[in-house]
Amino acid sequence: MKAFALERLVPAHVRAFEAYVPAPPDDVLLRRFGVTHLHRLNNNENPLGPPPAARAVLARRDAGEAALYPQGDGWHLRRTLARHFDLEPEQVILGNGASEVIAFVIKTFCEPGDNILTADRTFAVYEWMASFSGIEPRLVPLLDHGFDDVGMLRAIEGRTRVVFLCNPNNPTGSWWDHARLARFLAAVDGRAIVVVDEAYAEFAEAPGFPDSFALMRQHPNLVVFRSFSKMWGLAGLRIGWMAASPPVAAMVRKTSISYSVNLLALEAARATVWDLAHIAATQAHCRAMRAGLAALAGRLGLEMLGGIGNFAMLRMPIPDTVVHRRLMARGVMARAMTSFRYAGWLRVSFGDAEAMAAFAAALEAVLAEG
Amino acid sequence: MMQRAAAPAEPVTEEPALRLPPGPRFAAVGAEFVRGAGLASGIEPRLAERLALIAEEVLAAAPPQAGLVGLALRDRRHAVRLDVEFTSTELDLAGLDQSRVRDLEDGEDVGLYLAARLADRLTTEPARRGGLVLGFELARSYPPAPSASVPEALGPLAGLPVDPDDATLALLVDWAEAVGEGGPAFRTAPRVLDQRRVGDLFARVALDARRRPVGGIFWQPFGRRLMALSGPALLLPEGDARQALAAALLEAALAALARGATQGLVVLEPAQVLPGAFEVVGHLPGAAGGQHPVLFRAMEEDPGGIAWVSPGLSAWVTAMVRRLGLGRDIEAPPPPARALGAAMAAETDRAAARVTLRPLLAAGDAAAVAERNVALFRGQGFAQIRALLDLGQPGHAAFAEGLMRAGLAPAALIPDAAGDLLLLADGA
């Protein structure tokens, strides 16, 4: 073989991108940090796990089925979701986690020279996915920890193809109500696809939270993302979905990957739809844990930030990355937020009572060290 | 006939490069190429001449089995650099180690020694297509800047700090220099502008309501995945506004670096302590006696990693790992594969009487080579001798014992999960 000039074969935007490196598995972390247990408060997982019907589906699967391909586009799950949200099955597209659905949308609507618009301090994957696809991510600063509608409208221009709103926003928990989202969509006036990522929508208890599926009927450029990882406790199975108006969904389907969702995920997700008791139990858990965290923040004199979601942020008096390490050494995983451009803040998921107690004790000890 | 003033040379975008066979026969050809290409690129004649001499010495010293040797001239604006690329990593680079001068018996090693002495900075890194690149860098000199006068009644900060245009950045540096703010990085505006143009310096500048600079913060590459932070330079008087300015500048720097390749910020010479924003990862002796803290700010969560540590350093590193709450597998390194031929690179700052040693090539004689290097530079009158070991590289540990025998002591552990940096210093 002649000299293999890898650099020549790789697009500049890929060369420039820094690969995301996930944390090592728990057994490695346990050894490295010298602890015997890790409380996971870093990924906004649901400590209640999946609803009972989904658990039952998983329990009765035959291991031999692993040899079979799943149905290619989630036929039954799409129909179940469509019935529940008054949509057509063709409006629903599934993905291997909502992150894959983000890729479908960017691939469908963007080409080099285009840009996407989102906030500077929100879920990172919109920005990353655009960057390594050769599409410019334009970031509008949050205003008072929330998406700035005026700033985003001002930033839309002729090459803006997709606007990503995270509602409620991860990591701030801030949210737009129905009227504000409706006004925003009216002002965008079809100039760009507007994606509303509602990964945490099921945690919303406020009556003003948007009914985005209803808005979609008036605004065919609206795309809604949902996840089975947060409320529904299926993070380990990786499944998310989007809904769009029929013509938009037909376009996105061209770039979607068939067979990317495994059969366990398809069946378990279908069994969750739409377990109101599970939603109520999870919401009650979040209310209790949020109150406990607020009490801890008050006791320690820490600013707390959070709205809708199974998480909140605390502002640390020392670097968040230091707190993260010291908590790890005490068996607690929380999320340092410097990488979310919230330097000095720590995001804490609402884990089970034992984990939250461990977090409180560990944080008090860490901060006492100075 | 009218004389025309020579137009300032535009930077050359296509870097001149050449490949030549190794050995003395082509050494003069390589030197002539570097000299000519340097002059044609607008590089100062004295620097082009030094680079030509380096090329000549290295080519002459390259053994026949080295294969074609690549020469590439890179104009870094504030520095010029000659990259010498070898297709093989199996080279004897011991001659590059300046401490070997007394051992050198043949012309080849003397040539490498001379080449290393001619460079202000010598680096080694893997070539993209395999092999090895030696980088010889010479710093450009700049005339002293005329003293600027700083307007009174600047500020307070208005809006978020910005990525400044050249004029704003130059004004900030001129004013910081005039009032002695910010430290050495905030000196000589043309140099700072050149550093930024080639990606060797990044800045955020805070402005007042009249768009005048009131403060700034810089960061520059430091090793593979870190940045060294300089400043902030603060032009506001003591008080709340000055504190708020420092915090805003640091926040802007952190925001600019988030979600990028940088794993952390290190501050070796703190011009201004920013309480709460950094952790102390060690102490360095100051030039005028005493000690100052080495500060660090991680940009990413540290998921833990491996630290290859020699037995003599194990207790110190283990204690630091515990104190910093790092998750590390502390391992004893395997012995180097080579028996002989260890080499260290030296980066000298003669104005500060400081030398920083880094391993170039590990071998069984690494400890002795390290010890000799310290003795050499101490003998040359360098008051501050430092060494930087990458604990992610098993081969680096082999140098530690010699450095400590020579009187260096561990001064700071700069965390990086992919390879912590251990800073050793004379008198630490």
Side-chain angles (χ1 to χ4, degrees):
Chain A
M1 189 172 76
K2 289 184 176 176
F4 172 45
L6 176 64
E7 299 267 316
R8 186 178 63 78
L9 302 175
V10 181
H13 57 264
V14 176
R15 286 201 304 270
F17 192 78
E18 195 65 23
Y20 174 73
V21 181
D26 282 10
D27 60 321
V28 175
L29 292 172
L30 290 170
R31 189 188 69 234
R32 286 181 175 171
F33 285 91
V35 292
T36 54
H37 183 76
L38 276 172
H39 293 288
R40 300 171 61 98
L41 301 178
N42 59 330
N43 281 336
N44 301 343
E45 293 152 346
N46 188 342
L48 276 57
R55 288 174 186 267
V57 163
L58 293 172
R60 65 172 177 259
R61 296 308 298 203
D62 174 4
E65 289 178 84
L68 306 177
Y69 282 102
Q71 194 278 324
D73 66 354
W75 173 280
H76 288 304
L77 177 57
R78 288 193 298 108
R79 275 156 181 76
T80 306
L81 289 167
R83 265 197 305 279
H84 183 78
F85 290 103
D86 195 17
L87 302 165
E88 294 299 322
E90 283 64 37
Q91 290 181 260
V92 177
I93 296 174
L94 308 178
N96 191 268
S99 292
E100 189 178 55
V101 179
I102 297 171
F104 297 164
V105 170
I106 289 178
K107 280 189 288 187
T108 302
F109 296 103
C110 300
E111 60 185 339
D114 292 339
N115 62 74
I116 64 121
L117 200 63
T118 188
D120 60 344
R121 289 178 285 178
T122 186
F123 187 49
V125 178
Y126 322 126
E127 183 183 338
W128 288 343
M129 204 74 83
S131 296
F132 63 63
S133 303
I135 308 301
E136 182 193 358
R138 294 193 178 175
L139 309 178
V140 177
L142 291 187
L143 188 63
D144 295 331
H145 305 296
F147 271 70
D148 174 9
D149 43 5
V150 174
M152 297 202 74
L153 286 169
R154 200 182 300 129
I156 294 174
E157 46 91 294
R159 297 300 298 267
T160 304
R161 292 290 178 265
V162 187
V163 177
F164 285 98
L165 307 174
C166 192
N167 199 47
N169 187 34
N170 173 14
T172 58
S174 59
W175 57 285
W176 288 0
D177 64 14
H178 189 92
R180 191 172 179 187
L181 179 58
R183 281 196 304 275
F184 182 80
L185 288 163
V188 172
D189 196 23
R191 287 175 291 157
I193 296 292
V194 176
V195 170
V196 181
D197 184 344
E198 296 187 340
Y200 295 92
E202 294 87 3
F203 295 91
E205 297 184 67
F209 193 80
D211 180 351
S212 300
F213 300 110
L215 286 170
M216 196 183 290
R217 292 183 199 107
Q218 300 151 46
H219 300 282
N221 59 323
L222 175 60
V223 175
V224 179
F225 288 177
R226 290 287 182 104
S227 171
F228 284 102
S229 299
K230 305 304 178 186
M231 172 58 76
W232 301 111
L234 298 178
L237 297 183
R238 309 304 300 125
I239 176 167
W241 60 285
M242 58 159 272
S245 61
V248 167
M251 286 296 166
V252 175
R253 185 161 295 108
K254 296 182 183 190
T255 67
S256 69
I257 309 289
S258 299
Y259 301 98
S260 78
V261 182
N262 70 74
L263 58 87
L264 289 181
L266 289 171
E267 292 306 310
R270 189 172 157 213
T272 68
V273 182
W274 201 250
D275 186 337
L276 295 176
H278 178 80
I279 292 178
T282 303
Q283 288 176 342
H285 169 79
C286 290
R287 279 195 301 276
M289 296 304 123
R290 188 187 302 279
L293 195 64
L296 174 71
R299 205 162 60 245
L300 297 176
L302 304 175
E303 186 182 348
M304 179 167 153
L305 191 60
I308 295 174
N310 58 345
F311 56 86
M313 290 205 297
L314 299 176
R315 186 170 211 163
M316 298 291 119
I318 58 176
D320 52 308
T321 43
V322 172
V323 176
H324 166 264
R325 266 195 261 128
R326 293 183 183 172
L327 288 175
M328 289 290 287
R330 289 171 170 79
V332 178
M333 300 170 80
R335 179 69 75 197
M337 297 308 288
T338 293
S339 61
F340 272 68
R341 303 193 176 94
Y342 262 106
W345 292 78
L346 195 74
R347 193 192 65 194
V348 188
S349 310
F350 298 146
D352 62 29
E354 183 191 354
M356 298 306 282
F359 169 74
L363 184 64
E364 289 201 60
V366 164
L367 297 185
E369 287 178 3
Chain B
M1 197 169 118
M2 287 182 66
Q3 293 282 324
R4 279 197 313 173
E10 287 295 312
V12 177
T13 51
E14 291 288 334
E15 289 159 338
L18 181 70
R19 298 178 86 79
L20 288 170
R25 285 171 57 200
F26 287 90
V29 178
E32 195 52 44
F33 160 74
V34 170
R35 186 180 294 113
L39 293 172
S41 306
I43 292 173
E44 293 165 57
R46 68 178 184 87
L47 297 182
E49 188 57 37
R50 275 169 73 189
L51 289 177
L53 287 171
I54 291 170
E56 186 166 11
E57 297 295 353
V58 176
L59 271 171
Q65 70 272 20
L68 284 177
V69 180
L71 300 174
L73 202 56
R74 307 198 192 287
D75 185 351
R76 308 284 299 156
R77 286 181 174 267
H78 64 97
V80 289
R81 177 182 164 109
L82 175 67
D83 280 347
V84 183
E85 182 176 341
F86 295 95
T87 50
S88 167
T89 53
E90 296 303 309
L91 297 168
D92 181 3
L93 300 175
L96 290 170
D97 189 290
Q98 296 187 39
S99 73
R100 289 185 181 270
V101 64
R102 275 167 287 180
D103 303 342
L104 304 179
E105 292 177 358
D106 57 51
E108 291 171 3
D109 279 354
V110 169
L112 288 177
Y113 167 76
L114 289 173
R117 286 277 290 169
L118 284 165
D120 293 323
R121 188 162 172 254
L122 170 60
T123 59
T124 178
E125 54 198 81
R128 284 176 183 169
R129 286 169 288 191
L132 185 74
V133 177
L134 299 178
F136 296 87
E137 198 165 286
L138 307 181
R140 278 211 164 105
S141 57
Y142 293 84
S147 185
S149 62
V150 183
E152 291 181 7
L154 280 172
L157 165 68
L160 296 172
V162 298
D163 186 359
D165 58 34
D166 279 358
T168 304
L169 182 58
L171 201 55
L172 168 80
V173 174
D174 286 345
W175 289 356
E177 188 160 9
V179 296
E181 269 287 327
F186 289 79
R187 302 292 177 265
T188 317
R191 181 177 58 84
V192 171
L193 295 180
D194 280 347
Q195 286 176 309
R196 187 169 70 148
R197 279 190 197 116
V198 296
D200 286 346
L201 180 142
F202 305 86
R204 285 295 178 272
V205 171
L207 306 171
D208 69 4
R210 293 173 58 189
R211 310 292 294 169
R212 298 176 301 183
V214 294
I217 198 163
F218 295 168
W219 59 96
Q220 296 172 267
F222 183 84
R224 285 179 299 158
R225 288 150 43 98
L226 303 175
M227 291 278 175
L229 192 80
S230 300
L234 305 173
L235 302 176
L236 298 182
E238 291 294 341
D240 290 348
R242 185 176 165 96
Q243 280 300 314
L245 174 60
L249 284 165
L250 179 68
E251 184 136 345
L254 293 174
L257 287 164
R259 295 183 178 169
T262 301
Q263 297 298 301
L265 286 169
V266 60
V267 191
L268 291 180
E269 293 172 58
Q272 185 98 18
V273 175
L274 293 166
F278 290 87
E279 60 185 316
V280 176
V281 294
H283 289 83
L284 273 173
Q291 288 197 322
H292 62 260
V294 177
L295 306 178
F296 178 73
R297 175 64 160 88
M299 294 300 302
E300 299 281 347
E301 294 177 352
D302 187 321
I306 297 176
W308 299 98
V309 182
S310 64
L313 276 170
S314 184
W316 190 90
V317 171
T318 302
M320 277 300 278
V321 160
R322 285 211 186 102
R323 183 174 86 67
L324 297 174
L326 296 167
R328 293 291 182 271
D329 292 325
I330 297 176
E331 305 276 357
R338 289 178 180 224
L340 295 170
M344 298 193 88
E347 184 178 336
T348 54
D349 180 343
R350 292 183 189 278
R354 183 169 59 223
V355 62
T356 305
L357 300 167
R358 288 182 174 82
L360 258 185
L361 192 67
D365 58 348
V369 166
E371 201 170 6
R372 280 210 306 264
N373 266 283
V374 175
L376 171 79
F377 289 103
R378 198 175 276 147
Q380 290 180 10
F382 283 87
Q384 298 182 68
I385 300 179
R386 297 176 181 173
L388 210 47
L389 304 181
D390 183 342
L391 300 187
Q393 308 275 338
H396 283 205
F399 294 88
E401 302 293 341
L403 292 168
M404 291 201 296
R405 278 206 303 266
L408 269 61
L413 186 71
I414 301 166
D416 180 351
D420 300 313
L421 293 181
L422 176 65
L423 182 60
L424 298 107
D426 216 358

